[in-house]
């Protein structure tokens, strides 16, 4: 099926060498969008860039704000203004109350939260000056509600959902759009350590990228899917805790948690 036409000339993607970021990069490039691809490993970015002359590698570590600002400055001087910044670098670390992996918690908060705000700090000033641009943050459905085993990942994704709400309110009238993207389980190396029995409605990276790109060009505030999981977690969130906690415990026990 032909890709939709997109309103962007230049997209910057962090986590572009990963499963979802790479798939989005390839689809955008295939539809005529130039993609500036960022991740730490030059080798994996070069492999991605070898697949399309519209994909250019700009390696940088999203945990290093100055390095990221330099990368954005280089992208804008080499390729022009960034129309879409898709902040997708992220990680999943399991959480176990009997053996709390503090380093893992800190790493996941750093990458999934600080990595996002570092990207925004690097790209937003020029977007505000131009009164034009679109920032998209990769969150997760797990940011909507606390879930057993998800203390690290869920906390980090809840943080970016809240950050996105604040930004959306403040960006009103600036010409810069903000989208939070909250997919459910995608079959990627990121969640390889997650118990397969507990992964519901798993989708392929291709389906995930397609679901994102069929809506992102309309600049919605939120893109969340699959709808069954979105509806369940949002309902759980809005219920009184005296109802939601037993419901989640019953549900996770049923799944073998
Ligand atoms: N997979 C899922 O089920 C799922 C569901 C919902 C949301 N998401 C979110 O979607 C995003 C992508 O997930 P994915 O499954 O595609 O992950 P992935 O395949 O593991 O890719 C992660 C990407 O992040 C990059 N990265 C890691 N640390 C970095 C750093 N310090 N600086 C720059 N880049 C860094 C990695 O490249 P380098 O290691 O070379 O730097 C890689 O390109 C994440 O934010 C994730 O939380 C995933």
């Amino acid at each position: 099926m032909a890709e939709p036409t997109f309103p962007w000339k230049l997209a910057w993607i962090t986590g572009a060498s990963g499963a979802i970021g790479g798939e989005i990069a390839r689809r955008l490039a295939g539809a005529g969008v130039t993609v500036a691809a960022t991740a730490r490993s030059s080798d994996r970015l070069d492999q991605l860039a070898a697949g399309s002359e519209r994909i250019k590698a700009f390696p940088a570590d999203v945990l290093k704000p100055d390095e990221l600002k330099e990368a954005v400055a280089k992208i804008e001087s080499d390729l022009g203004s960034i129309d879409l910044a898709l902040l997708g670098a992220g990680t999943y670390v399991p959480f176990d109350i009997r053996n709390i992996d503090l380093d893992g918690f800190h790493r996941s908060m750093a990458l999934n939260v600080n990595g996002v705000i570092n990207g925004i700090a690097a790209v937003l000033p020029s977007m505000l000056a131009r009164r034009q641009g679109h920032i998209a943050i990769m969150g997760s459905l797990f940011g909507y509600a606390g879930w057993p085993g998800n203390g690290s990942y869920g906390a980090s994704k809840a943080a970016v959902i809240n950050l996105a709400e604040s930004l959306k309110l403040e960006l009103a009238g600036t010409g810069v759009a903000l989208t939070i993207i909250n997919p459910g389980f995608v079959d990627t190396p990121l969640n390889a350590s997650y118990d397969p029995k507990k992964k519901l409605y798993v989708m392929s990276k291709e389906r995930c990228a397609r679901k994102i790109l069929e809506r992102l060009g309309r600049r919605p505030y939120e893109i969340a899917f699959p709808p069954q999981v979105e509806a369940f977690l949002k309902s759980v969130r809005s219920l009184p805790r005296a109802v939601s906690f037993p419901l989640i415990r019953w549900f996770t026990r049923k799944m073998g948690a």
Side-chain angles (χ1 to χ4, degrees):
M1 205 174 73
E3 290 293 350
T5 46
F6 298 113
W8 318 289
K9 285 200 175 79
L10 175 60
W12 175 45
I13 302 179
T14 73
S17 61
I20 300 171
E23 189 60 30
I24 291 176
R26 282 186 286 274
R27 283 170 185 254
L28 285 175
V33 180
T34 301
V35 175
T38 289
R40 289 166 305 177
S41 156
S42 303
D43 288 356
R44 289 174 67 200
L45 288 178
D46 289 344
Q47 269 174 30
L48 178 72
S52 167
E53 60 182 19
R54 291 205 191 89
I55 303 179
K56 314 283 181 202
F58 290 87
D61 185 337
V62 299
L63 297 180
K64 298 183 176 155
D66 292 340
E67 189 175 304
L68 210 52
K69 277 186 189 153
E70 271 170 38
V72 165
K74 182 156 174 41
I75 292 165
E76 299 213 309
S77 89
D78 289 4
L79 303 174
S81 308
I82 294 171
D83 304 304
L84 169 70
L86 177 55
L87 305 172
T91 191
Y92 168 81
V93 177
F95 185 87
D96 175 357
I97 53 160
R98 287 178 185 79
N99 182 19
I100 293 180
D101 173 4
L102 279 179
D103 178 57
F105 187 93
H106 296 153
R107 274 189 292 113
S108 95
M109 291 301 280
L111 186 56
N112 298 351
V113 185
N114 299 354
V116 167
I117 196 62
N118 290 343
I120 291 169
V123 80
L124 187 55
S126 75
M127 287 185 173
L128 287 175
R130 281 182 283 125
R131 299 189 58 77
Q132 202 178 8
H134 187 172
I135 294 174
I137 300 171
M138 286 299 291
S140 160
L141 288 184
F142 273 127
Y144 290 141
W147 202 259
N150 261 4
S152 292
Y153 191 69
S156 69
K157 294 301 184 179
V160 290
I161 289 173
N162 191 295
L163 172 65
E165 288 172 3
S166 304
L167 289 168
K168 172 70 185 169
L169 291 165
E170 281 201 63
L171 287 170
T174 65
V176 179
L178 189 285
T179 300
I180 178 86
I181 302 169
N182 294 324
F185 282 113
V186 187
D187 186 15
T188 80
L190 176 125
N191 55 44
S193 60
Y194 207 94
D195 183 346
K197 284 200 305 288
K198 299 178 198 160
K199 289 188 200 172
L200 293 180
Y201 296 99
V202 183
M203 70 195 108
S204 66
K205 65 182 182 185
E206 290 81 5
R207 182 173 170 78
C208 176
R210 186 166 52 75
K211 300 291 279 175
I212 292 169
L213 289 178
E214 67 193 16
R215 292 170 60 191
L216 191 60
R218 297 197 291 272
R219 297 159 61 108
Y221 167 65
E222 183 180 41
I223 299 175
F225 52 92
Q228 309 88 321
V229 185
E230 178 197 7
F232 178 72
L233 289 172
K234 282 185 172 169
S235 320
V236 155
R237 180 90 222 151
S238 61
L239 288 168
R241 293 294 173 264
V243 180
S244 70
F245 287 150
L247 180 64
I248 294 174
R249 274 193 217 104
W250 169 81
F251 188 81
T252 49
R253 262 201 298 270
K254 222 170 112 72
M255 286 161 62

